[in-house]
Amino acid sequence: MYEMIKSIIISGDFKVTDITNKIDVLWVNGDLTDEQRTELH
């Protein structure tokens, strides 16, 4: 999931609120580490 979210961010094809919410949900679900969440935010 980390690589997918990172690719979306690099592409620039997203709304900031949408991607931020997705990152937070993935983190809460344990799909992202603290370090990955910090990097993507």
Side-chain angles (χ1 to χ4, degrees):
M1 291 304 279
Y2 167 79
E3 290 298 327
M4 183 178 75
I5 297 296
K6 190 171 179 177
S7 294
I8 292 169
I9 291 171
I10 290 170
S11 76
D13 189 26
F14 64 92
K15 290 184 180 178
V16 173
T17 55
D18 292 343
I19 201 72
T20 301
N21 290 337
K22 181 66 173 174
I23 291 167
D24 290 341
V25 168
L26 291 170
W27 176 72
V28 167
N29 288 337
D31 296 322
L32 294 175
T33 65
D34 292 340
E35 293 81 20
Q36 290 172 328
R37 179 178 181 251
T38 300
E39 181 182 336
L40 294 173
H41 264 253

